[in-house]
């Protein structure tokens, strides 16, 4: 069995380093098994220093006993994410002994039979300072109101104006705090979603690996091949998720680079459809595009493969058994048009305007695996490369996605 460090490196490393909040993962003994760079900086430790340390090292001494009881209770009685210390002030302890106020969201998860808790930690020192300043300001204002009301009643109008400004400032701060809480909740839900997306295929791989070991007879080769196919499919799914997050990171940081080459469209199409055939449901089939042997384009081959893979896999995923995924391709002047048409669940009309937004998933697709990243990545790459993507869709009838891209690069 892989240890947590290896799993973390292969599966969660990108996620750990893609968020600005501190992330700390502990096991059931409250031993730290992983921490990201933000957490290390927040608590004043070098990379790897926190590993194998008890969580108490990050808690002020006077809070350790109570905090241990809270975490232990959460480990044994909670199975869903929640905010830690609701209604109470929480404090962290830096390596140099300095205490500071924090907020912590807890997210339990299980990986290969082991239970862990992922804590998202936020340093709220600035917010606490601002809240104190606001409280002091309010106290001062109240004192001024009492004094001026008593001594100079003619200043009532001025005081009322000052109260209005104070209320406006309070409302703005309340709204700011509300938005901050919403953002934290969104990030916690996002981490939970991604954890689930990794957990499901990993469980399938583990099950198939176990069953393969039971089929030792020559005549059981067909059963072995079935489980090997399952393992290959799950590994490819995990790899696609990681590729998606790498693409998001590169697009966000502007580090994406494109490699242009001349190649026949049929080369990429054949490879993508070959891989997609392993994902087909019972009775599903892919209608191969006609008359594409002579189409040659100067483009980034990996990006075109990414586009076709995403669209075809989506069509398979959201279409029923015994349905057809139809692929069309044709060239006009310096423009290549690709169409992927399915007979699937379609996209509800009221949600179609959000379909290219990152992490968005339509209500009727929530039961299917997915992170809501693929279409956003495709659109971003096409915009960078002078192409476009659009779609038409009718709920319960199917969708058609149309991609247009230049045959000849201007790079």
């Amino acid at each position: 069995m892989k240890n947590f460090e290896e799993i973390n490196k292969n599966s969660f490393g990108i996620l750990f380093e893609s968020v600005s909040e501190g992330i700390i993962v502990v096991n059931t003994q409250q031993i730290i098994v992983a921490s990201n760079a933000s957490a290390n900086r927040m608590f004043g430790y070098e990379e790897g220093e926190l590993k194998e340390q008890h969580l108490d090292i990050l808690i002020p001494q006077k809070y350790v006993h109570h905090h241990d009881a809270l975490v232990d209770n959460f480990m044994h009685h909670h199975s869903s994410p929640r905010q830690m210390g609701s209604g109470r002030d929480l404090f962290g302890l830096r390596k140099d002994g300095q205490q500071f106020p924090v907020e912590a969201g807890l997210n339990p998860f299980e990986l290969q039979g082991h239970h862990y808790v992922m804590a998202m930690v936020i340093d709220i020192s600035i917010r606490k300072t601002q809240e104190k300043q606001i409280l002091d300001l309010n106290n001062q204002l109240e004192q001024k109101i009492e004094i001026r009301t008593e001594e100079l009643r003619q200043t009532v109008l001025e005081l009322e104006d000052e109260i209005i400004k104070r209320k406006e400032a309070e409302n703005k701060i309340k709204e700011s705090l509300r938005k901050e809480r919403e953002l934290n909740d969104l990030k916690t839900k996002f981490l939970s979603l991604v954890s689930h997306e990794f957990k499901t295929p990993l469980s399938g791989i583990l099950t198939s690996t176990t069953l393969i070991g039971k089929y030792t007879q020559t005549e059981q080769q067909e059963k072995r091949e079935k489980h090997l196919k399952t393992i290959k499919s799950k590994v490819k799914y995990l790899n696609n998720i990681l590729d998606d997050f790498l693409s998001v990171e590169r697009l966000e940081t502007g580090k994406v680079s494109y490699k242009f080459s001349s190649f026949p469209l049929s080369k990429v199409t054949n490879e993508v459809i070959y891989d997609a055939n392993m994902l087909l449901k019972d009775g599903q089939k892919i209608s191969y595009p006609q008359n594409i042997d002579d189409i040659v384009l100067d483009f980034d081959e990996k990006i075109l493969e990414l586009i076709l893979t995403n669209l075809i896999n989506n069509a398979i995923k959201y279409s029923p058994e015994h349905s057809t995924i139809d692929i069309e391709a044709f060239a006009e002047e310096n423009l290549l048009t690709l169409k992927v048409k399915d007979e699937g669940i379609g996209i509800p009309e009221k949600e179609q305007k959000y379909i290219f937004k990152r992490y968005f998933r339509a209500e009727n697709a929530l039961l299917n695996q997915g992170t809501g990243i693929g279409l956003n990545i495709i659109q971003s790459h096409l915009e960078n490369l002078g192409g476009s993507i659009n779609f038409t869709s009718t709920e319960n009838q199917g969708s058609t996605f149309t991609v247009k891209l230049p045959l000849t690069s201007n790079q």
Side-chain angles (χ1 to χ4, degrees):
M1 180 186 297
K2 295 182 178 179
N3 59 34
F4 189 91
E5 180 181 8
E6 185 177 355
I7 295 174
N8 174 52
K9 178 179 178 182
N10 295 334
S11 303
F12 297 107
I14 296 172
L15 300 177
F16 272 33
E17 302 305 330
S18 66
V19 295
S20 59
E21 290 74 13
I23 296 179
I24 297 171
V25 181
V26 299
N27 61 19
T28 53
Q29 287 77 43
Q30 299 187 38
I31 300 301
I32 299 172
V33 298
S35 61
N36 70 349
S38 295
N40 294 334
R41 286 194 300 270
M42 186 184 303
F43 288 93
Y45 288 88
E46 297 295 329
E47 181 179 359
E49 240 185 315
L50 286 174
K51 187 181 176 184
E52 305 300 332
Q53 298 288 336
H54 195 278
L55 184 59
D56 286 354
I57 196 175
L58 304 180
I59 311 298
Q61 187 61 37
K62 63 180 179 180
Y63 300 111
V64 166
H65 178 74
H66 184 59
H67 182 271
D68 284 351
L70 284 175
V71 174
D72 186 67
N73 179 65
F74 181 82
M75 282 280 193
H76 293 87
H77 299 95
H78 293 80
S79 61
S80 60
R82 74 176 180 90
Q83 195 73 12
M84 183 178 181
S86 178
R88 295 183 297 271
D89 289 333
L90 298 179
F91 293 89
L93 181 66
R94 294 194 173 96
K95 184 178 180 180
D96 61 5
Q98 181 185 1
Q99 295 184 27
F100 64 102
V102 299
E103 278 188 356
L106 303 182
N107 182 49
F109 65 98
E110 181 180 354
L111 196 59
Q112 292 196 348
H114 295 278
H115 294 272
Y116 301 92
V117 170
M118 178 185 296
M120 176 180 286
V121 184
I122 304 171
D123 184 345
I124 59 173
S125 299
I126 295 178
R127 189 206 304 171
K128 287 294 184 181
T129 299
Q130 291 175 340
E131 289 176 350
K132 184 179 183 303
Q133 291 173 347
I134 293 169
L135 182 60
D136 291 342
L137 176 60
N138 286 342
N139 290 334
Q140 293 172 14
L141 289 174
E142 293 294 343
Q143 291 173 5
K144 288 180 181 179
I145 291 172
E146 292 176 4
I147 294 172
R148 291 180 182 179
T149 300
E150 196 66 27
E151 296 180 351
L152 300 171
R153 294 189 180 275
Q154 63 270 28
T155 61
V156 170
L157 293 177
E158 295 179 7
L159 289 174
E160 289 178 348
D161 183 61
E162 191 169 352
I163 293 172
I164 291 174
K165 290 180 179 179
R166 184 193 68 183
K167 292 297 183 182
E168 290 177 348
E170 289 179 351
N171 290 335
K172 288 181 181 179
I173 292 172
K174 289 179 180 178
E175 179 65 15
S176 177
L177 293 174
R178 184 188 65 78
K179 290 181 179 180
E180 183 177 344
R181 286 193 294 269
E182 288 180 353
L183 180 60
N184 290 337
D185 290 343
L186 177 61
K187 289 180 178 179
T188 299
K189 291 177 181 178
F190 170 68
L191 287 176
S192 178
L193 167 67
V194 174
S195 297
H196 175 75
E197 289 301 314
F198 277 102
K199 178 181 177 181
T200 301
L202 284 172
S203 297
I205 292 172
L206 181 60
T207 301
S208 291
T209 304
T210 303
L211 291 174
I212 285 177
K214 297 181 179 181
Y215 300 135
T216 59
Q217 304 301 318
T218 302
E219 59 270 18
Q220 294 177 317
Q221 179 63 25
E222 183 178 347
K223 294 182 178 179
R224 286 195 291 270
E225 289 178 354
K226 174 185 176 182
H227 290 293
L228 287 171
K229 182 178 179 181
T230 297
I231 293 172
K232 183 176 180 180
S233 173
K234 300 295 185 183
V235 170
K236 186 172 181 63
Y237 176 74
L238 287 172
N239 186 65
N240 288 339
I241 291 179
L242 291 175
D243 284 343
D244 283 348
F245 280 106
L246 283 171
S247 296
V248 169
E249 181 187 22
R250 295 187 186 113
L251 288 166
E252 285 285 348
T253 59
K255 294 180 181 179
V256 61
S257 59
Y258 300 103
K259 297 180 180 180
F260 295 90
S261 62
S262 181
F263 58 91
L265 175 62
S266 57
K267 176 178 180 293
V268 174
T269 305
N270 290 339
E271 292 173 354
V272 172
I273 294 179
Y274 177 82
D275 289 338
N277 282 329
M278 293 190 298
L279 305 175
L280 291 176
K281 301 173 186 175
D282 186 29
Q284 278 188 334
K285 65 178 181 179
I286 298 175
S287 176
Y288 193 87
Q290 302 297 314
N291 304 317
I292 66 169
D293 291 339
D294 295 330
I295 299 179
V296 178
L297 63 159
D298 184 24
F299 199 72
D300 187 309
E301 188 171 341
K302 291 297 182 183
I303 297 300
L304 181 58
E305 180 181 347
L306 172 70
I307 294 170
L308 280 174
T309 297
N310 191 288
L311 295 180
I312 294 175
N313 288 359
N314 279 351
I316 294 172
K317 183 194 306 183
Y318 298 120
S319 296
E321 298 177 347
H322 304 286
S323 62
T324 299
I325 290 87
D326 188 52
I327 304 173
E328 298 180 19
F330 54 89
E332 293 179 345
E333 297 181 352
N334 190 43
L335 197 66
L336 173 64
T337 299
L338 298 168
K339 292 188 176 184
V340 178
K341 181 179 180 181
D342 64 56
E343 300 170 351
I345 61 177
I347 304 165
E349 184 176 357
K350 64 179 181 180
E351 297 183 323
Q352 291 185 9
K353 60 183 177 181
Y354 305 114
I355 201 67
F356 291 110
K357 288 187 177 295
R358 189 175 302 165
Y359 310 129
F360 174 78
R361 304 192 68 210
E363 289 183 358
N364 60 348
L366 294 178
L367 295 180
N368 297 85
Q369 286 185 322
T371 58
I373 297 176
L375 290 176
N376 177 265
I377 292 174
I378 289 177
Q379 186 184 55
S380 298
H381 281 310
L382 286 170
E383 289 176 351
N384 291 342
L385 295 170
S388 65
I389 181 171
N390 56 64
F391 70 95
T392 58
S393 183
T394 302
E395 193 169 6
N396 299 319
Q397 294 185 25
S399 304
T400 299
F401 281 83
T402 302
V403 171
K404 294 182 181 293
L405 50 89
L407 286 169
T408 303
S409 169
N410 293 322
Q411 303 289 324

